[in-house]
Each structure stands twice: as C-alpha cells, then as structure tokens.
Amino acid sequence: MFLERTLDNVREFIEPEDELIIIDGASTDGTAEIVARSRDVVTTFISEQDSGEGHAFNKGLFRARGRYIKPITDDDYFYPDAMRRAIAEMEANPDVDAIQCGGEMWSIENGRPIFRGFRSLSADVAASAQSVFDVHCGLGIILRRTALEKTGGVSNNYVSVDGDLTCRLVECACVVRYLDVNLYRWYLHSHSGCVNRQKELESGYLLFEIRLGRWQSVVRRDPRVLAAILLGEGDWNKRGLCEWAWIAGAMSRSPLRGMSPFVVWLLGFGAATKRKLKGLAPQESQQGQSDSSEALDGRQWTGRLA
C-alpha cells in the first residue's frame, strides 16, 4: 500500500530524463508485483538480501547516473512544486553539494495522521553546514552526485542513515545550503526505526556530535542518559564512573577544558533538566493537530536559499 501511494506521488514530479531506482531487501510482500505494474516510472529494481539500511542506501546511491540524487522512502509524501524548486536551485548554484529543505512531521495514531510540527531552520539562526545538521532529514535533502566522491556513501552502523550522510557532508567540507520550502511530509509509523529503536538512535546522534566536535552539546546532555547509552542498563556504580570518565574526556577536547569537571557536570545536568534530548524534535511545532490544511497555517515559508 505504501509503495503504490509513493509511486503515485513520484508521478507528480518525475521528468522523462529522471531515473527511479528501487532497492528492496528481498521482501515477499508483493513489492515485485507492484513494481512490475509501475514500469512507466521505475528504471531499476533490485531485490536481494542486504546487511542493513545503510547497505541498501549505498546500492542506490552508487547506481545513480543523474546530476542530482533525491532519497525517497515508501511511506512519506513529497510536494511536487517544492521538489521542482529545489532542483532549480541546484541548477542555479553549481557550487552547492547538497540542499536541505524543510518539511512537516506527522505521527500515525490509531490509523489517523496527527500533525506534530515543522522541521525547519529558524529565521534567526545563520545557515551553515553545522546549523543545517540540526534540522537535517533525508526526506528533505538533495545531493549533487559528485558529492559522493567526497563522502564515500554512508555507514551501515547507524539507525539514522540520513544523519550519517549529513554528518559526512559536514566532515568533508561540502557546501550545504538550506532552502526554506516545505518539501515533505514525514510520517512516523510504529514500524519506523526512529520510533522502535530509540536507544540506538540516541547513541548514533551522540556519536554524530562527537564526530562534529560539538562538545558543548555533548556535555549538556544528562550524564545518566549518556551512561545509559554507552553502557546499556549496567549497574549504577559503573555508570557513575562512566559519567565522570566521559566528562573528563569531553572536557579535554572541548572549549570548556579549563573548567572543573564538577562545574561542567552541573552545567550539563542543569541544561538537560530544562529540555529533552534533541533527538528528532522539530524547531517549531503545533502539537496534536489532525490532517487538515488548518494545521499548516502557523509556518510561513520564505522560499529563500540560505
């Protein structure tokens, strides 16, 4: 059902010169039959066992032949006009390696879509590769194929494949811009990895922040949560030792290294009690609204490339 709906969505914006590559993990849910009926839009279909989402993602990335690559999932929606606008911006800015667009977050509760908020860069935040990482979402990213020569694809070790991709773009000094358009509807289903693999997801985001050297963000996390991520549900004595070892290690590599561990711990713990872990929280939100146009009135998209 999801795949058929997505293919209908693709028909709204695909152009004759585009290619659509579908990577399937040897499923037996009727995917092959749906693809067979959709050869008008499907260029390549590969159905075989893989070792994870990152592995499957790389299969598609390195088979793509076009100038631009747009990751698409089988349970979300993309706005055609915004998609065309994003491609036009890539065409007009040949120095840009990737564009991240904004979008909507929805959850499915009792079979009904509930609007949870917008994922977008606030107008008062300067656009940069680092700030774009805070609102990254694979549904909103468009890559120049040559960027893969710099990033080398993605790792198979993270629940958040798009998080790893965005992290690599930053690490490899790629030119990443933010386009303030509403490109996608991200539906959070019960089977989504970011819903049922929360601990692995948080662990991955912690590693992303370490890779990017965002030490102030790392030490602001609740030390007990850090310990739980790093040690699992181990006994509290070991977790307590881990807290101090972690903070000492973070301080030695951070701008806060001149402060005492106790002061840094207090700063981190205090900040953590005031807010939840960043995780997937959108920058702006209107909670609990149903699937209707009124739910989207609170966000004005500028359409600017920042």
Side-chain angles (χ1 to χ4, degrees):
M1 179 181 71
F2 291 139
L3 180 57
E4 286 183 299
R5 187 170 62 192
T6 298
L7 290 172
D8 286 339
N9 181 204
V10 168
R11 289 184 177 94
E12 296 182 73
F13 56 78
I14 196 169
E15 300 292 340
E17 64 270 23
D18 296 338
E19 60 181 359
L20 177 61
I21 301 171
I22 297 180
I23 307 297
D24 175 58
S27 66
T28 57
D29 58 0
T31 295
E33 291 76 12
I34 294 172
V35 171
R37 298 195 298 267
S38 306
R39 283 298 181 181
D40 59 312
V41 290
V42 179
T43 308
T44 302
F45 175 57
I46 298 172
S47 183
E48 60 188 20
Q49 290 290 341
D50 55 57
S51 59
E53 187 176 349
H55 181 201
F57 195 74
N58 282 334
K59 288 182 187 181
L61 285 178
F62 290 107
R63 281 174 172 79
R65 297 171 297 172
R67 293 191 302 278
Y68 315 119
I69 298 173
K70 177 72 194 79
I72 293 176
T73 55
D74 66 350
D75 53 4
D76 300 289
Y77 180 80
F78 300 89
Y79 291 102
D81 289 343
M83 184 75 79
R84 286 186 278 269
R85 173 64 191 279
I87 295 298
E89 289 291 351
M90 292 293 286
E91 288 276 277
N93 296 273
D95 60 315
V96 173
D97 293 301
I99 286 178
Q100 174 69 60
C101 302
E104 307 160 15
M105 294 178 64
W106 297 72
S107 63
I108 305 298
E109 299 178 12
N110 299 318
R112 183 185 179 204
I114 303 295
F115 180 63
R116 292 301 179 189
F118 294 105
R119 194 163 176 83
S120 59
L121 192 65
S122 299
D124 58 348
V125 175
S128 67
Q130 286 271 2
S131 62
V132 167
F133 179 81
D134 289 330
V135 295
H136 78 270
C137 178
L139 301 179
I141 200 165
I142 295 181
L143 292 168
R144 197 174 297 276
R145 186 165 59 88
T146 52
L148 295 179
E149 299 170 5
K150 303 177 184 179
T151 65
V154 298
S155 170
N156 202 37
N157 297 325
Y158 298 98
V159 173
S160 177
V161 174
D162 52 352
D164 179 49
L165 174 61
T166 309
C167 193
R168 286 168 180 254
L169 289 169
V170 178
E171 291 172 322
C172 297
C174 291
V175 178
V176 183
R177 305 282 292 278
Y178 172 73
L179 181 62
D180 196 41
V181 296
N182 188 25
L183 178 60
Y184 60 86
R185 281 192 172 197
W186 178 13
Y187 289 105
L188 296 171
H189 297 270
S190 58
H191 63 263
S192 301
C194 57
V195 173
N196 56 39
R197 300 175 65 186
Q198 190 65 32
K199 181 178 289 187
E200 294 172 78
L201 185 72
E202 290 292 353
S203 177
Y205 271 93
L206 176 60
L207 291 174
F208 295 152
E209 291 185 332
I210 294 171
R211 285 168 55 181
L212 296 177
R214 295 154 62 111
W215 297 109
Q216 293 188 25
S217 178
V218 169
V219 299
R220 280 200 300 267
R221 290 174 179 257
D222 184 335
R224 290 177 181 264
V225 175
L226 290 175
I229 290 174
L230 296 171
L231 292 179
E233 299 302 324
D235 67 74
W236 280 101
N237 289 332
K238 290 182 179 179
R239 289 169 69 174
L241 289 173
C242 179
E243 292 169 17
W244 290 103
W246 173 255
I247 293 168
M251 284 181 57
S252 70
R253 297 179 293 272
S254 80
L256 304 176
R257 57 183 174 269
M259 300 172 67
S260 75
F262 183 68
V263 171
V264 175
W265 186 90
L266 287 177
L267 289 174
F269 186 80
T273 59
K274 293 181 180 178
R275 64 185 180 92
K276 297 179 180 178
L277 292 176
K278 279 194 300 184
L280 299 173
Q283 293 297 303
E284 304 177 36
S285 65
Q286 299 173 347
Q287 298 296 322
Q289 300 189 51
S290 60
D291 190 356
S292 66
S293 59
E294 288 79 7
L296 307 181
D297 289 344
R299 177 65 165 89
Q300 298 298 318
W301 301 90
T302 67
R304 291 196 297 267
L305 183 69

